[in-house]
Amino acid sequence: MITFQNVSKSYGRKLVLDNLSFEIKEGQFVILIGPSGCGKTTTLKMINRLVKPDSGEIYINGINIMEQNPVELRRGIGYVIQQIGLFPNMTVEQNISVVPKLLKYPKERWQSIVRELLEMVNMPYEEYAHKYPSELSGGQQQRIGVLRALAASPPIVLMDEPFGALDPITRDALQEEVKKLQKKLKKTIVFVTHDMEEALRLADTIVFMDNGRILQMASPEEMLRNPASDIIKEFMGRHINSRGPAELYVEDVMRTRVLKVPKTLKVLECLDRMDRWEVNSVIVLNEDDTYAGTVQLEAIQEHGKVGHEIGELVSQDTPTVSRQCKAQEVLDQLLDSPYKYLVVLNDDRTVAGLITRTSLTKAIGEALWGAKS
Ligand SMILES: Nc1ncnc2c1ncn2[C@@H]1O[C@H](COP(=O)(O)OP(=O)(O)OP(=O)(O)O)[C@@H](O)[C@H]1O
Ligand SMILES: [Mg+2]
């Protein structure tokens, strides 16, 4: 939907954009990232013609934007600038309704838009619509900046480091909101940031720029797995150490703290251990420590006899997997199966650990977004 073809730009003798070509598909969340001065803002501003290329073409929906009236063009493009930029002498409602009013929407229409948008970000109309920006927190001002860009429902929204100045908690909350809004309203978003964590979290596609060129354009998973250069690796920082979800093996995602008991253990003693571990099933081992099977609490309650050995109740129903299996392969197995976990075995059939839904989800989350320190 947005196509750059051999776009270059210089300021004086400095080449700021060097023959950029790329394409953004409709409905995608695309993030431009890279060091300060690499040309992110310049690229963004070309999309709504605030900056003109020296050479090359930019197309939106197949139409060369230089052949379009700039005012018309900008109506279809929301823009959130680097420093919020709310009009200080206007209320929240007036700020959000600027573009709808320019487009001559009737009053009832723009008022209901304002109301709806404020509701989407949990800022009730009655409480906030008539406040001035100076009466809002930084995070609230940012929200209004985002809403203003969305008010006329443009298919494309450009956002230039919209959350740069926020504390981490507010930033997290706003990232969530923007991602939800994008999914719900199906916008094409081009978003600039310095922050790789933000990029990995939000983007469908990341465009990594350096010195006016694109070093890599890829999905977050792909960039984590195969960063195209050292500077990208550096930006990834701690994220690079964790592998993408496709690279995870069972042994990376299993839990190793698991209750294991010998076959010969008496039922009563076994119940006592399960109680202390707060679990409702155990792994049972043969004399040579190899895997014998599992016993569920219900089986003990139904068939257990106090003086008997736990080995009598063993079942082999719980699926087992090898620790060298790909995590991705066991994901479906776990999600589709009625079992709450899978037993992970070493090559010699001793027990390595368990995979639970929680352990798997957590590991995939860490691979995608980096371990929370
Ligand atoms: N109006 C201008 N006149 C002269 N030089 C400019 C102008 N705008 C940008 N530049 C230069 O162009 C280069 C790219 O600037 P741009 O604002 O696109 O960088 P950026 O990647 O957005 O950086 P940041 O992360 O710091 O916002 C920089 O070297 C900058 O100094
Ligand atoms: Mg910038």
Short mmCIF file of all heavy atoms in Angstrom, two decimals, residues 29 31-32 44 79-85 138-139 141-146 149 157-166 170-171 174-175 178 189-194 198 202:
data_model
loop_
_atom_site.label_atom_id
_atom_site.label_comp_id
_atom_site.label_asym_id
_atom_site.label_seq_id
_atom_site.Cartn_x
_atom_site.Cartn_y
_atom_site.Cartn_z
N PHE A 29 1.69 -3.31 10.91
CA PHE A 29 2.31 -2.45 11.90
C PHE A 29 3.80 -2.49 11.60
O PHE A 29 4.46 -3.50 11.85
CB PHE A 29 2.02 -2.98 13.30
CG PHE A 29 2.15 -1.95 14.38
CD1 PHE A 29 1.08 -1.72 15.23
CD2 PHE A 29 3.31 -1.22 14.54
CE1 PHE A 29 1.18 -0.76 16.23
CE2 PHE A 29 3.42 -0.26 15.54
CZ PHE A 29 2.34 -0.05 16.40
N ILE A 31 7.63 -0.88 11.96
CA ILE A 31 8.44 -0.04 12.84
C ILE A 31 9.76 0.32 12.17
O ILE A 31 10.46 -0.55 11.66
CB ILE A 31 8.67 -0.77 14.18
CG1 ILE A 31 7.32 -0.85 14.90
CG2 ILE A 31 9.75 -0.06 14.98
CD1 ILE A 31 7.34 -0.81 16.37
N LEU A 32 10.04 1.63 12.15
CA LEU A 32 11.35 2.10 11.69
C LEU A 32 12.22 2.29 12.92
O LEU A 32 11.83 3.00 13.84
CB LEU A 32 11.23 3.45 10.97
CG LEU A 32 10.27 3.58 9.79
CD1 LEU A 32 10.36 5.00 9.21
CD2 LEU A 32 10.62 2.56 8.71
N LEU A 44 9.52 9.13 7.52
CA LEU A 44 8.12 9.23 7.91
C LEU A 44 7.45 10.47 7.29
O LEU A 44 6.35 10.40 6.75
CB LEU A 44 8.05 9.31 9.45
CG LEU A 44 6.77 8.89 10.11
CD1 LEU A 44 6.56 7.39 9.91
CD2 LEU A 44 6.81 9.20 11.60
N TYR A 79 -1.15 11.60 12.08
CA TYR A 79 0.26 11.84 12.37
C TYR A 79 0.43 12.18 13.84
O TYR A 79 -0.18 13.12 14.35
CB TYR A 79 0.73 13.01 11.48
CG TYR A 79 2.20 13.33 11.54
CD1 TYR A 79 3.16 12.34 11.68
CD2 TYR A 79 2.64 14.65 11.42
CE1 TYR A 79 4.51 12.64 11.71
CE2 TYR A 79 4.00 14.97 11.44
CZ TYR A 79 4.92 13.96 11.59
OH TYR A 79 6.25 14.27 11.61
N VAL A 80 1.24 11.38 14.53
CA VAL A 80 1.56 11.68 15.93
C VAL A 80 3.03 12.06 15.96
O VAL A 80 3.89 11.25 15.60
CB VAL A 80 1.34 10.44 16.83
CG1 VAL A 80 1.59 10.80 18.29
CG2 VAL A 80 -0.05 9.86 16.63
N ILE A 81 3.33 13.32 16.35
CA ILE A 81 4.72 13.76 16.25
C ILE A 81 5.51 13.47 17.52
O ILE A 81 4.95 13.08 18.54
CB ILE A 81 4.82 15.27 15.94
CG1 ILE A 81 4.08 16.07 16.98
CG2 ILE A 81 4.33 15.55 14.55
CD1 ILE A 81 4.30 17.55 16.84
N GLN A 82 6.83 13.65 17.36
CA GLN A 82 7.75 13.25 18.40
C GLN A 82 7.45 13.90 19.76
O GLN A 82 7.56 13.25 20.78
CB GLN A 82 9.20 13.55 17.94
CG GLN A 82 10.23 12.55 18.42
CD GLN A 82 11.52 12.56 17.59
OE1 GLN A 82 11.57 13.00 16.45
NE2 GLN A 82 12.59 12.07 18.16
N GLN A 83 7.03 15.18 19.79
CA GLN A 83 6.73 15.79 21.10
C GLN A 83 5.24 16.10 21.27
O GLN A 83 4.84 17.25 21.38
CB GLN A 83 7.49 17.11 21.31
CG GLN A 83 8.97 17.08 20.99
CD GLN A 83 9.26 17.22 19.50
OE1 GLN A 83 8.36 17.40 18.67
NE2 GLN A 83 10.52 17.13 19.14
N ILE A 84 4.42 15.08 21.25
CA ILE A 84 2.97 15.18 21.48
C ILE A 84 2.28 16.26 20.66
O ILE A 84 1.48 15.98 19.80
CB ILE A 84 2.59 15.35 22.96
CG1 ILE A 84 3.35 14.37 23.83
CG2 ILE A 84 1.07 15.15 23.13
CD1 ILE A 84 3.03 14.48 25.31
N GLY A 85 2.61 17.54 20.95
CA GLY A 85 2.10 18.61 20.10
C GLY A 85 0.60 18.86 20.21
O GLY A 85 -0.04 19.21 19.22
N GLY A 138 1.52 13.26 31.56
CA GLY A 138 2.21 13.03 30.29
C GLY A 138 1.60 11.89 29.49
O GLY A 138 1.40 11.98 28.29
N GLY A 139 1.29 10.81 30.20
CA GLY A 139 0.72 9.63 29.54
C GLY A 139 -0.65 9.93 28.96
O GLY A 139 -0.99 9.48 27.85
N GLN A 141 -1.68 12.88 27.99
CA GLN A 141 -1.48 13.75 26.82
C GLN A 141 -1.10 12.91 25.59
O GLN A 141 -1.57 13.15 24.48
CB GLN A 141 -0.37 14.77 27.09
CG GLN A 141 -0.77 15.81 28.12
CD GLN A 141 0.35 16.82 28.36
OE1 GLN A 141 1.04 17.24 27.44
NE2 GLN A 141 0.52 17.21 29.60
N GLN A 142 -0.23 11.91 25.83
CA GLN A 142 0.16 11.04 24.72
C GLN A 142 -1.04 10.32 24.13
O GLN A 142 -1.16 10.16 22.92
CB GLN A 142 1.17 9.98 25.19
CG GLN A 142 2.49 10.56 25.67
CD GLN A 142 3.53 10.62 24.57
OE1 GLN A 142 3.22 10.38 23.42
NE2 GLN A 142 4.75 10.99 24.90
N ARG A 143 -1.91 9.85 25.04
CA ARG A 143 -3.11 9.16 24.56
C ARG A 143 -3.94 10.09 23.67
O ARG A 143 -4.41 9.69 22.61
CB ARG A 143 -4.00 8.77 25.74
CG ARG A 143 -3.56 7.55 26.48
CD ARG A 143 -4.66 7.25 27.49
NE ARG A 143 -4.40 6.05 28.27
CZ ARG A 143 -3.60 5.99 29.32
NH1 ARG A 143 -2.94 7.06 29.72
NH2 ARG A 143 -3.44 4.86 29.98
N ILE A 144 -4.09 11.33 24.12
CA ILE A 144 -4.90 12.27 23.33
C ILE A 144 -4.23 12.53 21.99
O ILE A 144 -4.89 12.63 20.95
CB ILE A 144 -5.13 13.60 24.11
CG1 ILE A 144 -5.78 13.33 25.47
CG2 ILE A 144 -5.97 14.58 23.29
CD1 ILE A 144 -7.07 12.54 25.42
N GLY A 145 -2.88 12.62 22.01
CA GLY A 145 -2.16 12.78 20.74
C GLY A 145 -2.46 11.65 19.77
O GLY A 145 -2.67 11.86 18.58
N VAL A 146 -2.51 10.43 20.31
CA VAL A 146 -2.81 9.26 19.47
C VAL A 146 -4.26 9.34 18.97
O VAL A 146 -4.54 9.11 17.79
CB VAL A 146 -2.56 7.95 20.24
CG1 VAL A 146 -3.07 6.75 19.46
CG2 VAL A 146 -1.07 7.78 20.56
N ALA A 149 -4.84 11.69 16.15
CA ALA A 149 -4.41 11.16 14.84
C ALA A 149 -5.43 10.17 14.28
O ALA A 149 -5.49 9.97 13.07
CB ALA A 149 -3.05 10.48 14.99
N VAL A 157 -1.63 5.63 9.73
CA VAL A 157 -1.23 6.48 10.85
C VAL A 157 0.29 6.45 10.99
O VAL A 157 0.89 5.37 11.00
CB VAL A 157 -1.88 6.00 12.18
CG1 VAL A 157 -1.47 6.92 13.33
CG2 VAL A 157 -3.40 5.95 12.06
N LEU A 158 0.88 7.64 11.05
CA LEU A 158 2.32 7.76 11.24
C LEU A 158 2.57 8.16 12.69
O LEU A 158 1.93 9.09 13.18
CB LEU A 158 2.90 8.83 10.31
CG LEU A 158 2.48 8.75 8.84
CD1 LEU A 158 3.09 9.94 8.07
CD2 LEU A 158 2.94 7.42 8.22
N MET A 159 3.50 7.48 13.35
CA MET A 159 3.78 7.82 14.75
C MET A 159 5.28 7.93 14.95
O MET A 159 6.01 6.97 14.73
CB MET A 159 3.22 6.73 15.67
CG MET A 159 1.73 6.51 15.49
SD MET A 159 1.17 5.20 16.59
CE MET A 159 -0.04 6.08 17.47
N ASP A 160 5.71 9.11 15.38
CA ASP A 160 7.14 9.35 15.55
C ASP A 160 7.49 9.34 17.03
O ASP A 160 7.26 10.31 17.74
CB ASP A 160 7.52 10.69 14.92
CG ASP A 160 9.03 10.79 14.69
OD1 ASP A 160 9.77 9.95 15.24
OD2 ASP A 160 9.45 11.71 13.96
N GLU A 161 8.05 8.25 17.50
CA GLU A 161 8.41 8.07 18.90
C GLU A 161 7.33 8.59 19.83
O GLU A 161 7.60 9.41 20.70
CB GLU A 161 9.74 8.78 19.20
CG GLU A 161 10.84 8.31 18.26
CD GLU A 161 12.23 8.45 18.86
OE1 GLU A 161 12.38 8.27 20.07
OE2 GLU A 161 13.15 8.73 18.09
N PRO A 162 6.12 8.07 19.70
CA PRO A 162 5.03 8.65 20.48
C PRO A 162 5.17 8.39 21.98
O PRO A 162 4.60 9.13 22.76
CB PRO A 162 3.79 7.92 19.93
CG PRO A 162 4.29 6.65 19.38
CD PRO A 162 5.68 6.96 18.85
N PHE A 163 5.94 7.39 22.36
CA PHE A 163 6.00 7.06 23.78
C PHE A 163 7.39 7.29 24.37
O PHE A 163 7.69 6.83 25.46
CB PHE A 163 5.61 5.59 24.00
CG PHE A 163 4.32 5.23 23.34
CD1 PHE A 163 4.17 4.01 22.71
CD2 PHE A 163 3.26 6.12 23.35
CE1 PHE A 163 2.97 3.67 22.09
CE2 PHE A 163 2.06 5.79 22.74
CZ PHE A 163 1.92 4.57 22.10
N GLY A 164 8.22 8.02 23.62
CA GLY A 164 9.62 8.21 24.03
C GLY A 164 9.78 8.76 25.42
O GLY A 164 10.63 8.31 26.18
N ALA A 165 8.94 9.72 25.80
CA ALA A 165 9.17 10.43 27.05
C ALA A 165 8.44 9.84 28.25
O ALA A 165 8.39 10.46 29.30
CB ALA A 165 8.77 11.89 26.87
N LEU A 166 7.91 8.65 28.10
CA LEU A 166 7.08 8.11 29.19
C LEU A 166 7.83 7.14 30.11
O LEU A 166 8.79 6.50 29.70
CB LEU A 166 5.89 7.38 28.60
CG LEU A 166 4.93 8.25 27.81
CD1 LEU A 166 3.83 7.40 27.21
CD2 LEU A 166 4.34 9.33 28.71
N THR A 170 3.66 3.36 32.09
CA THR A 170 2.72 4.03 31.20
C THR A 170 2.98 3.63 29.76
O THR A 170 2.07 3.43 28.97
CB THR A 170 2.86 5.57 31.33
OG1 THR A 170 2.92 5.88 32.71
CG2 THR A 170 1.72 6.29 30.69
N ARG A 171 4.27 3.48 29.42
CA ARG A 171 4.62 3.11 28.05
C ARG A 171 4.06 1.72 27.71
O ARG A 171 3.44 1.53 26.68
CB ARG A 171 6.13 3.14 27.88
CG ARG A 171 6.54 2.93 26.43
CD ARG A 171 7.96 3.37 26.17
NE ARG A 171 8.88 2.63 27.01
CZ ARG A 171 9.88 3.17 27.66
NH1 ARG A 171 10.11 4.46 27.61
NH2 ARG A 171 10.67 2.43 28.41
N LEU A 174 0.31 1.99 27.15
CA LEU A 174 -0.03 2.64 25.87
C LEU A 174 0.32 1.76 24.67
O LEU A 174 -0.40 1.75 23.68
CB LEU A 174 0.69 3.98 25.76
CG LEU A 174 -0.02 5.13 26.48
CD1 LEU A 174 0.71 6.44 26.22
CD2 LEU A 174 -1.45 5.27 26.01
N GLN A 175 1.41 1.02 24.79
CA GLN A 175 1.76 0.09 23.70
C GLN A 175 0.64 -0.92 23.50
O GLN A 175 0.22 -1.19 22.38
CB GLN A 175 3.06 -0.65 24.02
CG GLN A 175 4.29 0.21 23.87
CD GLN A 175 5.53 -0.48 24.43
OE1 GLN A 175 5.45 -1.48 25.13
NE2 GLN A 175 6.69 0.08 24.15
N VAL A 178 -2.31 0.83 21.80
CA VAL A 178 -2.11 1.11 20.38
C VAL A 178 -2.20 -0.17 19.56
O VAL A 178 -2.80 -0.21 18.49
CB VAL A 178 -0.77 1.83 20.15
CG1 VAL A 178 -0.36 1.78 18.69
CG2 VAL A 178 -0.90 3.27 20.59
N ILE A 189 0.06 1.16 10.23
CA ILE A 189 0.78 2.08 11.11
C ILE A 189 2.27 2.05 10.78
O ILE A 189 2.86 0.97 10.65
CB ILE A 189 0.56 1.70 12.59
CG1 ILE A 189 -0.93 1.88 12.94
CG2 ILE A 189 1.45 2.54 13.50
CD1 ILE A 189 -1.25 1.74 14.41
N VAL A 190 2.85 3.24 10.62
CA VAL A 190 4.30 3.35 10.49
C VAL A 190 4.77 4.08 11.73
O VAL A 190 4.37 5.21 11.99
CB VAL A 190 4.72 4.10 9.22
CG1 VAL A 190 6.23 3.97 9.02
CG2 VAL A 190 3.99 3.55 7.99
N PHE A 191 5.62 3.44 12.49
CA PHE A 191 5.92 3.85 13.85
C PHE A 191 7.43 3.94 14.00
O PHE A 191 8.15 2.99 13.67
CB PHE A 191 5.34 2.77 14.76
CG PHE A 191 5.37 3.01 16.25
CD1 PHE A 191 4.18 3.23 16.93
CD2 PHE A 191 6.56 2.94 16.96
CE1 PHE A 191 4.18 3.39 18.31
CE2 PHE A 191 6.56 3.12 18.35
CZ PHE A 191 5.36 3.34 19.02
N VAL A 192 7.93 5.07 14.50
CA VAL A 192 9.37 5.23 14.68
C VAL A 192 9.73 5.04 16.14
O VAL A 192 9.05 5.56 17.02
CB VAL A 192 9.81 6.64 14.22
CG1 VAL A 192 11.26 6.91 14.63
CG2 VAL A 192 9.67 6.79 12.72
N THR A 193 10.79 4.32 16.41
CA THR A 193 11.27 4.20 17.79
C THR A 193 12.78 3.96 17.82
O THR A 193 13.39 3.60 16.81
CB THR A 193 10.55 3.06 18.53
OG1 THR A 193 10.98 3.04 19.89
CG2 THR A 193 10.84 1.71 17.91
N HIS A 194 13.38 4.20 18.99
CA HIS A 194 14.78 3.82 19.23
C HIS A 194 14.83 2.50 19.98
O HIS A 194 15.90 1.96 20.21
CB HIS A 194 15.42 4.79 20.23
CG HIS A 194 15.88 6.07 19.67
ND1 HIS A 194 15.12 7.20 19.71
CD2 HIS A 194 17.04 6.40 19.07
CE1 HIS A 194 15.80 8.17 19.16
NE2 HIS A 194 16.96 7.72 18.76
N GLU A 198 10.33 -2.20 22.29
CA GLU A 198 9.06 -1.71 21.76
C GLU A 198 8.82 -2.28 20.35
O GLU A 198 7.72 -2.72 20.02
CB GLU A 198 9.11 -0.17 21.72
CG GLU A 198 7.85 0.50 21.26
CD GLU A 198 7.81 1.98 21.66
OE1 GLU A 198 8.49 2.80 21.02
OE2 GLU A 198 7.13 2.30 22.64
N LEU A 202 5.64 -4.67 19.19
CA LEU A 202 4.53 -4.13 18.41
C LEU A 202 4.54 -4.52 16.94
O LEU A 202 3.49 -4.64 16.32
CB LEU A 202 4.55 -2.60 18.49
CG LEU A 202 4.25 -1.99 19.86
CD1 LEU A 202 4.43 -0.47 19.81
CD2 LEU A 202 2.85 -2.34 20.33
#
